[in-house]
Amino acid sequence: MTFTVKKTAATAMAVAMSLAVLAGCGSNNTNGNTASSASPEPTASAPADNSAANAAGNTGGDAPATTGLKGTFEIQYFVGGYGDKWWKQVIADFQKANPDLKIVEDAGPQINTQNKPKWIAGTPPDFVYIDGPELNDRQLAEDGQLEDLTDWIKDAKNVDGVKILDLLAQQPPSYDGKTYNIPLVLNSWGVFYNKALFEKNSWTEPTDWDSFIATSEKIKAAGTTPFIHTGKYPYYINGAILYPAIVSANNDDYKLLQDMGDSKVEAFKSPAVLEALNKIVELRDKGFIDKTSISINHTDSQMLFLQNKDAFIPNGLWLPNEMSKDVPADFKFGFIPSVTQKAGGKVVANTSTSTVAISKNGKNKEAAKAFLQFIFSQSQASKFAELSGAPSNIKGDISASNAPDFVKQAAAYLTSDNTVVVPTVTFNADVDKAMQDATDALTIGKIDPQGWVGRVVKVVEKVKK
């Protein structure tokens, strides 16, 4: 079985909802949390909210019973940019509803690596949150590591008796027509900037590529570097710049990006791909890209951004939460899902999700399914947004919640008719790595756009064989 970086994300945002929930710290292609996140240390358990437990105990009508479970139930969850406060609370609630159930938590920033031997030995945890480094949902599914949920999820209801599929902003991914995992976090890639800094310098907040370039010119003239990215993890710049640019260049049609996800060779040779790559070349040739980008990780680039050394950074919605301890008091996050569209063109929200699944070789699948029904409830949408600083994939109105302002701001984009919401695209792990490496080479002038395509196509052709 192959374990690889997943992004998450890398994570976090396809929302077709009229509510303030959006569509997943950094998977390069799919999930929300950053694939190699130097995550905050696990925090103490938040005070338990009994409402979820009470809901679980209310099994009247069609609501499924998720109480009275016994045995040992093992949960694996990665602690990255979203933290672990929500996990601590929801697990505590589930434990209250099932006092005879022994819950084992496998959690932390390195848990995917630490638990790798369990997966290889065929003794994995019962339930897994697929996020962070060393886990790739497509690979897990293709390697036969996940339980087939295709038939079960069709009619599965949450603790309130509501059909789970009806609550999801983004539907589960399909692998050869089968469902193995369900999106929990709904995130959007995009470009962050400091609104306070822009107001101070009278810089125009970008709405498209032309205004992005024009503002970057002013920023550079003022002595600030316009743009920094995470060279060690190039899926950040791919997710927030390259992929939205491909969709915009393809007449706002994300089918081309999906064809790339399916490793269709001709998709990578499309003129839209070259047009998108040339936008990165323009940033490079205008001297807008911080030269330290190529050698630094996500937290280093984010720190320079927070210090106003750089004005723009491509990232996912987990950024403010991940760097919460380092955000200056006068820093005001601004966010736009894409800056690569033409003037008057639609914004492109390239979503990433972090999913949950049940292990095929899990020992307590009954508890795992009950836990799925427990967490996918409307009451959890606001809780997740408040405790993780990111939107949940559960449809729900968070406008009156204590969710961060930038999350609500992102929701305004994602519910707008002027936004193209791109369903999460998962790439083959080898192809994804090839695209990341090629983009890094492109940003420092080692190759041109044709060279990028040539490199990646070779890997795609190998994968197809």
Side-chain angles (χ1 to χ4, degrees):
M1 152 176 148
T2 302
F3 288 77
T4 99
V5 169
K6 163 184 158 357
K7 191 96 177 107
T8 46
T11 301
M13 191 171 188
V15 280
M17 57 182 92
S18 58
L19 313 162
V21 169
L22 16 176
C25 152
S27 231
N28 50 327
N29 43 38
T30 62
N31 291 348
N33 268 341
T34 169
S36 50
S37 173
S39 311
E41 289 299 314
T43 58
S45 177
D49 181 327
N50 292 328
S51 60
N54 292 337
N58 178 13
T59 58
D62 294 327
T66 59
T67 58
L69 297 168
K70 298 180 179 181
T72 299
F73 175 43
E74 188 174 358
I75 302 172
Q76 175 178 327
Y77 63 89
F78 168 74
V79 181
Y82 301 130
D84 65 353
K85 291 182 180 179
W86 178 80
W87 284 103
K88 292 292 185 183
Q89 176 165 311
V90 74
I91 290 172
D93 290 345
F94 192 63
Q95 181 71 82
K96 285 186 176 181
N98 297 278
D100 296 328
L101 186 66
K102 180 183 178 181
I103 300 179
V104 178
E105 295 183 45
D106 296 339
Q110 304 300 324
I111 192 58
N112 295 341
T113 300
Q114 294 166 357
N115 265 8
K116 186 187 296 186
K118 290 185 178 181
W119 288 89
I120 294 175
T123 57
D126 304 292
F127 180 96
V128 59
Y129 169 57
I130 306 175
D131 194 13
E134 302 294 335
L135 284 186
N136 181 291
D137 50 3
R138 179 184 288 270
Q139 200 70 52
L140 286 171
E142 292 177 349
D143 287 348
Q145 294 286 344
L146 304 180
E147 181 78 357
D148 184 351
L149 300 176
T150 309
D151 293 330
W152 180 80
I153 195 62
K154 287 179 182 177
D155 299 309
K157 296 178 180 178
N158 68 6
V159 292
D160 302 316
V162 180
K163 192 174 178 180
I164 293 175
L165 290 180
D166 291 344
L167 285 173
L168 301 183
Q170 184 168 130
Q171 293 297 300
S174 176
Y175 305 110
D176 294 326
K178 299 288 187 178
T179 298
Y180 297 94
N181 54 320
I182 304 171
L184 173 68
V185 186
L186 204 49
N187 173 70
S188 175
W189 289 100
V191 174
F192 278 94
Y193 53 98
N194 181 1
K195 284 189 173 184
L197 181 65
F198 275 55
E199 291 169 359
K200 177 182 177 181
N201 291 281
S202 298
W203 294 336
T204 302
E205 298 177 8
T207 57
D208 49 49
W209 187 248
D210 289 344
S211 60
F212 180 69
I213 293 298
T215 296
S216 295
E217 294 279 12
K218 294 179 180 179
I219 292 170
K220 183 181 178 183
T224 300
T225 306
F227 185 86
I228 192 168
H229 70 99
T230 301
K232 283 193 174 181
Y233 309 117
Y235 50 78
Y236 281 73
I237 189 173
N238 280 353
I241 299 295
L242 180 59
Y243 301 153
I246 290 174
V247 174
S248 293
N250 195 49
N251 298 315
D252 294 335
D253 186 352
Y254 52 71
K255 180 62 166 58
L256 176 60
L257 202 61
Q258 292 176 322
D259 287 345
M260 292 169 66
D262 290 334
S263 297
K264 294 182 180 179
V265 175
E266 291 306 313
F268 292 87
K269 299 178 180 179
S270 168
V273 173
L274 290 174
E275 182 177 331
L277 290 167
N278 273 310
K279 284 184 165 54
I280 294 178
V281 171
E282 184 174 359
L283 292 180
R284 179 196 73 196
D285 291 350
K286 287 182 178 293
F288 290 167
I289 302 177
D290 192 320
K291 294 187 183 301
T292 64
S293 296
I294 192 64
S295 61
I296 60 178
N297 64 20
H298 59 298
T299 51
D300 288 340
S301 63
Q302 290 163 188
M303 184 61 74
L304 290 172
F305 167 68
L306 292 176
Q307 294 171 352
N308 290 325
K309 303 292 186 183
D310 302 272
F312 294 110
I313 188 170
N315 220 295
L317 288 173
W318 58 83
L319 166 61
N321 188 61
E322 183 174 43
M323 303 297 289
S324 60
K325 296 178 181 179
D326 301 300
V327 178
D330 60 348
F331 200 97
K332 186 178 180 182
F333 287 100
F335 175 83
I336 180 172
S338 68
V339 296
T340 52
Q341 61 273 12
K342 296 178 181 178
K346 290 189 174 184
V347 170
V348 177
N350 177 37
T351 69
S352 66
T353 60
S354 296
T355 65
V356 290
I358 297 172
S359 304
K360 185 175 182 179
N361 294 323
K363 300 298 187 293
N364 198 339
K365 296 181 183 179
E366 179 185 5
K369 288 181 178 178
F371 190 59
L372 272 177
Q373 294 169 307
F374 193 86
I375 66 177
F376 281 103
S377 64
Q378 289 176 316
S379 66
Q380 291 299 333
S382 291
K383 293 178 185 178
F384 191 89
E386 291 174 11
L387 296 177
S388 71
S392 164
N393 189 42
I394 305 166
K395 294 179 182 179
D397 187 355
I398 63 172
S399 60
S401 74
N402 293 322
D405 288 341
F406 73 89
V407 174
K408 297 176 182 179
Q409 177 190 0
Y413 279 112
L414 292 163
T415 56
S416 170
D417 291 337
N418 196 46
T419 301
V420 178
V421 180
V422 182
T424 299
V425 176
T426 303
F427 297 91
N428 170 275
D430 292 335
V431 174
D432 184 58
K433 181 63 165 57
M435 289 192 294
Q436 291 184 49
D437 291 344
T439 296
D440 256 352
L442 185 69
T443 62
I444 58 175
K446 283 191 173 181
I447 59 175
D448 60 13
Q450 286 289 358
W452 189 101
V453 172
R455 277 193 184 192
V456 175
V457 165
K458 284 183 181 179
V459 177
V460 176
E461 290 175 337
K462 183 178 180 181
V463 166
K464 296 299 288 186
K465 289 180 181 180

